[in-house]
Amino acid sequence: MVKYFAILLLYFAGCQPVEQVQVDRPIDPVAKPQCVNLGLIKVGSTHKVRYAVTNTTDKSWTVTAVRSQCTCFVVDVYPPSLNPGQSGSVKATFTAPRVPVPYSTGAILITDSAAQRKIPLILECETVR
């Protein structure tokens, strides 16, 4: 799992910084992972991030598991089941490392759909004192 995240984060590094942590774009089943770059943040600070997830398949699916890379990135999915065309909200709480460092973390939503099996979410930042 960690190896997958390392490759994924290296490949998709370079997300554009955002002033707000709200991400309004839905995640397409074949699209690149959603990425939020918080830019420069204080060490040890806590941030709320929201991703929008849309079921773009022709069948209902349910998020059956969330695999987070670390305990600093806690993900909450609501509603856990989506009908075709329906959107849901993925809220995450991120607690920054306590040392100044460029940092990337993420999570993967696992669904019961073959067409939209894994939905990657990425968060990047750089912590400063």
Side-chain angles (χ1 to χ4, degrees):
M1 178 63 81
V2 173
K3 184 177 181 180
Y4 172 77
F5 271 112
I7 293 169
L8 184 69
L9 292 174
L10 286 173
Y11 182 77
F12 293 104
C15 299
Q16 296 299 314
V18 292
E19 291 183 14
Q20 298 177 338
V21 293
Q22 177 79 20
V23 177
D24 295 321
R25 300 171 308 203
I27 299 172
D28 187 78
V30 296
K32 293 180 181 179
Q34 288 293 307
C35 183
V36 171
N37 186 322
L38 298 176
L40 298 175
I41 60 174
K42 284 189 72 87
V43 295
S45 58
T46 300
H47 302 268
K48 303 280 186 189
V49 180
R50 184 183 303 254
Y51 300 89
V53 179
T54 301
N55 179 351
T56 58
T57 70
D58 60 353
K59 295 181 181 172
S60 296
W61 55 253
T62 300
V63 174
T64 57
V66 176
R67 303 280 189 249
S68 185
Q69 185 178 7
C70 68
T71 57
C72 66
F73 193 62
V74 179
V75 177
D76 181 37
V77 181
Y78 185 81
S81 297
L82 294 177
N83 294 319
Q86 184 181 12
S87 294
S89 183
V90 178
K91 297 177 185 176
T93 302
F94 171 68
T95 302
R98 297 196 177 276
V99 295
V101 64
Y103 196 77
S104 293
T105 190
I108 296 177
L109 307 180
I110 309 293
T111 74
D112 59 2
S113 167
Q116 200 168 1
R117 183 61 143 172
K118 295 179 181 178
I119 304 170
L121 308 172
I122 298 174
L123 183 135
E124 295 179 340
C125 67
E126 184 170 348
T127 55
V128 295
R129 293 203 185 274

